[in-house]
Amino acid sequence: MERPTTAAEAVAVQERLRPLVRTDRPLPPVRTAAGLDVAYFPGSDRLVAAVTVLDVETLSTVDSRAVRGTADFPYLPGLFAFREAPSLLRALDGLTTSPDVLVCDGQGLAHPRRFGLACHLGVLTGLPSIGVGKTALGRYDPPGEERGATSPLLLDGEVLGRALRTRRGVKPVFVSVGHRCDLDSACELVLRLAPHHRLPETTRTADRLGRDLS
DNA sequence: GCGACAG
DNA sequence: ATCTTGTCGC
């Protein structure tokens, strides 16, 4: 991936890659889904990028990879991908198998320039991708309390994702399309991946893997 | 000056 | 993201 030095350069990269995002078709059939997450060493820019690949039927882990690295870009809202994507791409390269979809820890189209981490990783790998954020970027009304309830996630007056209740009475997650996917199939998959907990099993296993090594 | 601000 | 105790609930 390209590695800009300044915020202005990073924005330019996003503007150039943005037209490559495809969201006009539903997610192709999915057998395996990858979870991606990054854990940091306390008080430093050292990190562990972790990827786990799960069988979506059994939710068992069929492949995984973790790599150590550094955050070579500061954390700036809207430029999050430049901090974590380089290491995550190295982790993906180390996998034995190629997952059918990437489930990313962050936003996809729900982004000031419509190019969040999930779009970024999707375009650079060519793989379908979905963004699942723990906090919203944009505004939303609380979805119904029951599991599976959704409400639109709005940014700049545009529907860019959905608040999705994966567990009754628990704060929703925020789903947006990354690449080669539509919002309906993205939410459907996230719900399948999160039968018991708030977050999908993909991000839970990746989070654990990275945390254990940091 | 004030509020917003993925991880 | 990470720093942090106890507490309520399944």
Side-chain angles (χ1 to χ4, degrees), chain A residues 180-202:
Chain A
R180 295 178 55 194
C181 180
D182 65 21
L183 193 50
D184 281 331
S185 50
C187 290
E188 183 184 329
L189 179 65
V190 170
L191 203 54
R192 285 173 64 193
L193 292 172
H196 301 311
H197 303 278
R198 178 189 178 224
L199 296 176
E201 288 301 316
T202 37

Side-chain angles (χ1 to χ4, degrees), chain A residues 69-139:
Chain A
T70 55
D72 301 314
F73 202 84
Y75 173 69
L76 301 173
L79 300 178
F80 179 51
F82 296 94
R83 191 169 169 77
E84 299 197 340
S87 297
L88 287 171
L89 289 168
R90 282 197 295 118
L92 284 169
D93 273 338
L95 289 175
T96 301
T97 61
S98 183
D100 296 322
V101 59
L102 307 178
V103 180
C104 306
D105 190 18
Q107 318 294 329
L109 291 180
H111 176 276
R113 283 170 297 280
R114 315 300 185 255
F115 198 73
L117 174 68
C119 302
H120 207 129
L121 290 172
V123 165
L124 265 43
T125 59
L127 294 171
S129 65
I130 297 171
V132 181
K134 294 184 284 294
T135 63
L137 211 169
R139 299 178 50 78

Side-chain angles (χ1 to χ4, degrees), chain A residues 38-49 67-69 210-211 213-214:
Chain A
V38 171
Y40 291 83
F41 291 85
S44 86
D45 60 353
R46 296 289 298 167
L47 57 77
V48 175
V67 302
R68 299 181 57 149
R211 197 167 307 229
L213 296 175
S214 67

Side-chain angles (χ1 to χ4, degrees), chain A residues 133-135 140-143 149 151 162-167 170-174 198:
Chain A
K134 294 184 284 294
T135 63
Y140 68 100
D141 291 318
S151 62
R162 271 177 211 154
L164 170 65
R165 189 90 65 185
T166 53
R167 181 171 180 168
V170 172
K171 176 178 176 173
V173 295
F174 304 93
R198 178 189 178 224

